[in-house]
Amino acid sequence: VQLQASGGGLVQAGGSLRLSCAASGRPFESQVMGWFRQAQGKEREFVAVIKWNSGTYYAEPVKGRFTISGLRDKTVYLQMNSLKPEDTAVYYCAASTSPRYYYSSEYNYWGQGTQVTVSS
């Protein structure tokens, strides 16, 4: 399975971006697809996940601002609104054949990352 992330860019604080992650390759058996982010000098952290049953979960810092959707068409989206400078990071999409989702070690497949920069 290959994951291709896109949609990053530079935006002012308060603005919006929409990230996309398209899966391709062998039959898609992932239970969940999620987004992680890694700011410079920091560890990769969980952002949001969507499960095959359409359940969604979010990290506290992004609740109410980010929305994850998709999966059944093998594409996942992350709509990011009210962006803050602290959202600046490389965003990675990932897919897991396990129903567990919070830790990056649970994921089998990773996209290449897309840079999101929020200016103040």
Side-chain angles (χ1 to χ4, degrees):
V1 173
Q2 291 82 44
L3 302 179
Q4 181 69 43
S6 61
L10 173 64
V11 64
Q12 288 189 332
S16 299
L17 283 174
R18 189 192 196 205
L19 306 184
S20 298
C21 178
S24 62
R26 63 184 180 182
F28 193 65
E29 299 176 347
S30 291
Q31 293 289 319
V32 303
M33 286 187 71
W35 289 93
F36 285 72
R37 66 187 182 185
Q38 188 166 17
Q40 195 167 8
K42 296 187 177 181
E43 293 188 355
R44 193 170 296 190
E45 63 177 7
F46 169 75
V47 175
V49 68
I50 186 165
K51 291 193 167 188
W52 189 252
N53 64 3
S54 298
T56 57
Y57 302 89
Y58 298 90
E60 281 297 326
V62 307
K63 277 184 180 178
R65 300 188 298 120
F66 291 11
T67 303
I68 190 170
S69 61
L71 181 56
R72 289 187 180 270
D73 60 352
K74 298 198 296 182
T75 300
V76 171
Y77 307 93
L78 186 68
Q79 178 66 43
M80 305 185 296
N81 298 328
S82 302
L83 282 161
K84 304 175 181 180
E86 50 264 44
D87 294 319
T88 296
V90 177
Y91 283 70
Y92 297 89
C93 64
S96 174
T97 54
S98 163
R100 294 187 292 270
Y101 62 86
Y102 189 78
Y103 295 103
S104 59
S105 58
E106 303 288 358
Y107 290 77
N108 310 90
Y109 309 104
W110 289 86
Q112 81 285 8
T114 184
Q115 177 71 46
V116 171
T117 302
V118 184
S119 63
S120 57

